Amino acid sequence: MNELPNLLIISEVIPQAAYAGSLLLYRLLKSYPQDRILVIGKPPLPEYKLLSCEYKSLNLPCERLNRTRFSRLARSLRSFVFMPDFTIASVNLKLRGFKADAVLCVMQTQPYYYLAYRYAKTKNLPLFVVIHDLPEAFEPVYPWMLERQLNRNIEVYKYAKKRFCVSPQMRDYLGETYKAFGDVLYPIPAEGITPRPESESLKLKEEGVLTIGYAGSLWGGYGEQLKHMVSVFKDAGVKLRLYSYESFFPEPSDEVIYRGYAPAEETWARVKAECDAVILFYSWPEYGYDKNYSVHFPSKLPEYLALGMPVLIFGPEYATGVKWGLSNSGAALVVTENNPESWIDAFNKLKESADLRQSLSRNAVFAGKRDFAPEAIRQQFLDSLKEAGVTETT
């Protein structure tokens, strides 16, 4: 630990036990010496756990426009410096004696990670970037702004000493598009998830009904696909329990039971107790998420595998989670056909075969430990910080 650099995080996505990238960053850094971290970014959400390091808020001028129908225009104008933006001085004011050896950011909202890049370059510090989603897909702009947006992203990515890409597909795509090589850092799952006993897969929670669980956000096409599947649930004798902060279904449904959002530890305990299997589903190309699906890796999949439950994966073959499932067919039941009959067939197979449920449960745990062990992912991350950070500061 003594070799780790003083780490300055400048990012909209900050480490907190909330959701998505924030939660992954929190897990990666929770064993880091806390007096060597300073976080500068959006104000933390009060209801979620934070690291014990210091947090400094940095609000983007006119940021509220990003949550209105003018968001595309605001992002476009800001990149041409027609709107107020962050300054290096705004970072200096937050330091209060903290001497950074390295800078870390998540490439999600350009004004924040472009500031991290500018600060690192000005101070001649190494920059580490984490990429969970395609930056251009995450921040849509007008066509006249696309080239400038892309060039800025390439500028940041090429300067970085280490580039942590969420999947092999993300690494390869950005290597070709941004002309720089990155490393794969899979989403780190929660520690302490214990698989339920295999014997629990032999009997359904409700006789004649397959109860499946879905945990996580419904944005990005997942909610649209769920709406398509509701009628199929009824035909297949399936009930879905939805563990999410978005109910997405204003009307009550016998087939979809909204269970709300809870911290990861509580959610997974409820899923194991209440469900027969878990499901990951993607929408098909008509909704326009195919480009991001082909490189983004679902953070819920490593945690699903740790539960000791059968895992269902529905989606097009180009989706990274589907690709993983096809490469590990014994660890998940995968359906790539956009066809309700194929979905019903998969549900029925799982509902009718206790041996299949037990086999999938056992293989899921093995594959998860092999590919997504949290201690191994965290150590990879820390070793990279040591390697790149110390060589720059010694």
Side-chain angles (χ1 to χ4, degrees):
M1 288 297 181
N2 290 332
E3 300 168 350
L4 289 167
N6 288 343
L7 190 62
L8 175 62
I9 300 173
I10 303 175
S11 181
E12 183 195 42
V13 177
I14 61 172
Q16 57 184 333
Y19 43 80
S22 293
L23 180 56
L24 299 180
L25 209 56
Y26 175 85
R27 291 172 180 168
L28 287 170
L29 290 166
K30 69 177 186 177
S31 66
Y32 204 97
Q34 299 296 286
D35 60 342
R36 297 186 195 171
I37 302 176
L38 175 64
V39 179
I40 299 177
K42 289 193 72 172
L45 299 172
E47 64 269 35
Y48 297 109
K49 288 182 182 179
L50 302 175
L51 300 175
S52 58
C53 66
E54 194 169 8
Y55 288 72
K56 298 288 186 179
S57 298
L58 192 64
N59 290 302
L60 181 64
C62 304
E63 190 270 342
R64 63 183 180 82
L65 291 175
N66 288 351
R67 300 188 298 274
T68 71
R69 59 192 176 93
F70 300 109
S71 60
R72 190 183 297 255
L73 176 62
R75 283 190 293 266
S76 301
L77 292 176
R78 184 170 280 114
S79 288
F80 276 99
V81 203
F82 293 142
M83 289 184 66
D85 204 350
F86 293 129
T87 64
I88 298 296
S90 65
V91 176
N92 289 331
L93 288 172
K94 306 287 183 181
L95 295 180
R96 300 280 181 89
F98 184 85
K99 187 180 183 305
D101 298 319
V103 180
L104 171 70
C105 66
V106 178
M107 289 186 69
Q108 179 166 298
T109 302
Q110 193 181 84
Y112 285 90
Y113 63 76
Y114 197 65
L115 174 64
Y117 154 71
R118 286 159 48 215
Y119 186 84
K121 188 174 182 181
T122 298
K123 303 295 183 180
N124 195 30
L125 296 174
L127 175 69
F128 303 93
V129 295
V130 178
I131 307 96
H132 294 143
D133 295 281
L134 282 178
E136 295 84 24
F138 197 87
E139 292 195 287
V141 295
Y142 288 120
W144 47 266
M145 205 336 245
L146 286 171
E147 184 177 359
R148 184 175 178 86
Q149 181 191 49
L150 178 62
N151 287 339
R152 275 193 166 191
N153 289 339
I154 292 173
E155 190 180 358
V156 174
Y157 195 76
K158 280 189 169 181
Y159 178 82
K161 298 298 182 184
K162 283 287 181 177
R163 311 165 186 100
F164 300 109
C165 302
V166 76
S167 71
Q169 293 81 11
M170 179 72 83
R171 175 200 59 200
D172 296 344
Y173 175 83
L174 293 181
E176 182 178 343
T177 306
Y178 291 1
K179 308 302 180 186
F181 186 77
D183 297 308
V184 176
L185 187 74
Y186 277 123
I188 180 171
E191 291 177 284
I193 300 178
T194 55
R196 71 181 190 181
E198 281 185 28
S199 58
E200 288 199 31
S201 295
L202 296 175
K203 186 177 179 181
L204 299 174
K205 298 296 181 184
E206 183 178 344
E207 187 174 352
V209 174
L210 181 69
T211 304
I212 56 177
Y214 176 88
S217 173
L218 292 171
W219 78 275
Y222 304 113
E224 287 88 343
Q225 179 61 21
L226 179 54
K227 284 185 174 181
H228 280 305
M229 298 178 74
V230 174
S231 61
V232 172
F233 293 157
K234 186 173 184 179
D235 293 340
V238 168
K239 289 184 180 178
L240 181 132
R241 290 179 175 267
L242 180 60
Y243 304 85
S244 176
Y245 54 85
E246 305 153 309
S247 68
F248 213 81
F249 290 96
E251 297 297 328
S253 168
D254 291 335
E255 286 73 42
V256 179
I257 301 101
Y258 179 55
R259 299 291 288 134
Y261 175 82
E265 298 82 0
E266 182 180 341
T267 293
W268 299 130
R270 290 163 64 190
V271 169
K272 287 189 289 185
E274 299 172 357
C275 301
D276 302 308
V278 286
I279 188 168
L280 165 66
F281 45 74
Y282 295 88
S283 60
W284 267 262
E286 59 265 29
Y287 289 103
Y289 297 103
D290 48 316
K291 191 171 184 179
N292 201 44
Y293 284 171
S294 69
V295 293
H296 168 77
F297 198 87
S299 59
K300 63 173 61 61
L301 181 54
E303 299 191 281
Y304 276 2
L305 296 168
L307 297 173
M309 300 174 66
V311 178
L312 288 155
I313 304 176
F314 290 8
E317 290 188 23
Y318 54 76
T320 54
V322 174
K323 284 185 176 181
W324 187 92
L326 292 172
S327 298
N328 297 271
S329 57
L333 185 57
V334 183
V335 178
T336 60
E337 294 80 21
N338 187 11
N339 181 343
E341 291 183 3
S342 299
W343 307 341
I344 291 173
D345 182 56
F347 288 139
N348 285 335
K349 282 181 181 177
L350 201 59
K351 182 168 58 174
E352 294 166 5
S353 175
D355 288 342
L356 177 60
R357 295 195 300 271
Q358 188 175 45
S359 173
L360 288 171
S361 302
R362 181 186 308 119
N363 293 336
V365 173
F366 174 82
K369 288 180 178 178
R370 182 197 63 209
D371 289 354
F372 309 111
E375 61 276 9
I377 293 173
R378 182 183 297 109
Q379 195 59 51
Q380 177 195 345
F381 177 73
L382 296 179
D383 286 346
S384 294
L385 294 185
K386 292 176 186 177
E387 174 191 342
V390 172
T391 55
E392 294 291 328
T393 57
T394 56

